[in-house]
Every structure is written in structure tokens, then in C-alpha cells.
């Protein structure tokens, strides 16, 4: 148990991979972080999800983090996640309105709206890729070209195409994971 550790020792234990440290951090701070999230979201379930994701990210990124103050770090992470959640909610509301205006109340369901949200989000991620990666990704996923065809089109080696495609897929998967979007809901053929 790490209950008697001060904040600096707790951070050090966390970075060293101590599961007791993350448990202690969670127990010390989850209630305060939940209050921050709830204060902005006004939805207990959404607030709990945001806080849970912050602690998961803390554990996943523990080795690369530079933390001077756990409460400040966690509060900032929660606020950032809350703003990201509010943006997602706003974007979803805009898409609901858009779909409703286009189709009236026919063919109107959450899955279609969520699929549209994911499509928009993925397109935004693709736009962030370096030019060659973006081009290779588009040829592969949007045009349906295979590695050999893309290599011929771009006049590069097949290994170069594979490297660009791998880089693009890793970036997209990482970004989706960071955004808290479930990969299982994305069309499997699109990413794999």
C-alpha cells in the first residue's frame, strides 16, 4: 500500500508502474475531479465517464508524463476532457439538426448521427496527416487501391507506401483512442 506517500512519492511510484499508486491517486482525487466534470456537464454519467477516462489516460501515459502537482494536472485534464465532450455534444446536436433538415423525421436515428460524427471526425484526422501519408491513405481507403497500385501511381517503392499507410493508421487509431471513440464502432474495413 502507498497510502502514506506524499504527492511527489506517489507520482514517482506511478511512473514506476505501481498499481497501488494509481489506486491511491484515484481514491484521493476522483471525487474532486467528478465535481469539476459535473459542474460543467451537469450530467452524472457523462462526468463519470470523463473522469474515468482521465485516470485511464494517466495510467496509460504514466511513463511520459511530467507532473508537478497531481491535483492541478488532474483538474486540467478533466477540464480539457470536459471541453472535448461538450464539443462532441455540440457537434452531435448540429448533426441532428442537419439530418433532420435534410430528411425530416424519416430515417432519423442515433446510429446514423453517430456514424456521421465518426466520419467527420475521421476526415478531420486524415487532414492532419503529412501530405504523402494523407495521399496514400486516401488512395488506399477512399479509392480502394492496393499497395502496388499506389506505388505505381506515386512512383515510389511499395515499402514506402506500406510505411506511409502504417504511419497513417497508427496516428488515426491513437487519435481515436485519445478522443475516447470506440474503434469497434468504426467500419472495420476502413482502418484494417
Amino acid at each position: 500500500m502507498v497510502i502514506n506517500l506524499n504527492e511527489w512519492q506517489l507520482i514517482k511510484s506511478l511512473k514506476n508502474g505501481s498499481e497501488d499508486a494509481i489506486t491511491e491517486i484515484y481514491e484521493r482525487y476522483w471525487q474532486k475531479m467528478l465535481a469539476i466534470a459535473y459542474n460543467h456537464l451537469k450530467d452524472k454519467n457523462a462526468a463519470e465517464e470523463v473522469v474515468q477516462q482521465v485516470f485511464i489516460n494517466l495510467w496509460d501515459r504514466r511513463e511520459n508524463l511530467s507532473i508537478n502537482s497531481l491535483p492541478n494536472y488532474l483538474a486540467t485534464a478533466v477540464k480539457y476532457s470536459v471541453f472535448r465532450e461538450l464539443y462532441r455534444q455540440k457537434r452531435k446536436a448540429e448533426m441532428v439538426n442537419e439530418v433532420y433538415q435534410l430528411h425530416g423525421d424519416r430515417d432519423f436515428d442515433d446510429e446514423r448521427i453517430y456514424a456521421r460524427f465518426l466520419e467527420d471526425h475521421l476526415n478531420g484526422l486524415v487532414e492532419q496527416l503529412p501530405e504523402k501519408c494523407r495521399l496514400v491513405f486516401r488512395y488506399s481507403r477512399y479509392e480502394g487501391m492496393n499497395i502496388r497500385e499506389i506505388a505505381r501511381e506515386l512512383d515510389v517503392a511499395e515499402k514506402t507506401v506500406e510505411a506511409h499507410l502504417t504511419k497513417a493508421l497508427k496516428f488515426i487509431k491513437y487519435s481515436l483512442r485519445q478522443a475516447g471513440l470506440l474503434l469497434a464502432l468504426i467500419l472495420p474495413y476502413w482502418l484494417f
Side-chain angles (χ1 to χ4, degrees), residues 19 44 46 50 95 107 130 132 134 156 178 192:
E19 291 179 14
K44 186 178 180 201
V50 162
M95 282 188 273
D107 297 327
K132 288 283 187 184
R134 183 172 55 239
V156 296
Q178 290 302 106
F192 302 104

Side-chain angles (χ1 to χ4, degrees), residues 91-121 185-187:
R91 186 66 187 121
K92 183 178 178 182
E94 289 170 355
M95 282 188 273
V96 166
N97 189 33
E98 193 178 299
V99 169
Y100 183 74
Q101 287 177 353
L102 289 173
H103 302 289
D105 51 7
R106 68 187 195 297
D107 297 327
F108 183 73
D109 59 27
D110 282 344
E111 283 118 19
R112 178 170 274 169
I113 293 165
Y114 191 67
R116 176 70 192 275
F117 171 75
L118 284 174
E119 181 183 359
D120 284 356
H121 188 74
L185 296 177
I186 298 168
L187 298 174

Side-chain angles (χ1 to χ4, degrees), residues 35-114:
I36 292 170
Y38 183 79
N39 187 43
H40 293 285
L41 294 171
K42 306 298 186 220
D43 178 333
K44 186 178 180 201
N45 290 332
E48 287 174 347
E49 286 181 32
V50 162
V51 171
Q52 186 68 27
Q53 192 58 49
V54 165
F55 282 102
I56 289 169
N57 288 342
L58 177 67
W59 177 254
D60 289 345
R61 300 174 57 211
R62 67 190 176 276
E63 295 169 352
N64 301 320
L65 295 175
S66 175
I67 301 172
N68 296 323
S69 165
L70 271 170
N72 291 346
Y73 174 85
L74 292 171
T76 301
V78 166
K79 287 175 187 173
Y80 175 75
S81 296
V82 162
F83 294 135
R84 201 168 51 213
E85 177 63 23
L86 290 171
Y87 174 78
R88 276 198 295 255
Q89 288 175 6
K90 179 182 176 206
R91 186 66 187 121
K92 183 178 178 182
E94 289 170 355
M95 282 188 273
V96 166
N97 189 33
E98 193 178 299
V99 169
Y100 183 74
Q101 287 177 353
L102 289 173
H103 302 289
D105 51 7
R106 68 187 195 297
D107 297 327
F108 183 73
D109 59 27
D110 282 344
E111 283 118 19
R112 178 170 274 169
I113 293 165
Y114 191 67

Side-chain angles (χ1 to χ4, degrees), residues 118-129:
L118 284 174
E119 181 183 359
D120 284 356
H121 188 74
L122 287 169
N123 288 336
L125 292 175
V126 170
E127 289 304 313
Q128 293 177 38
L129 292 169

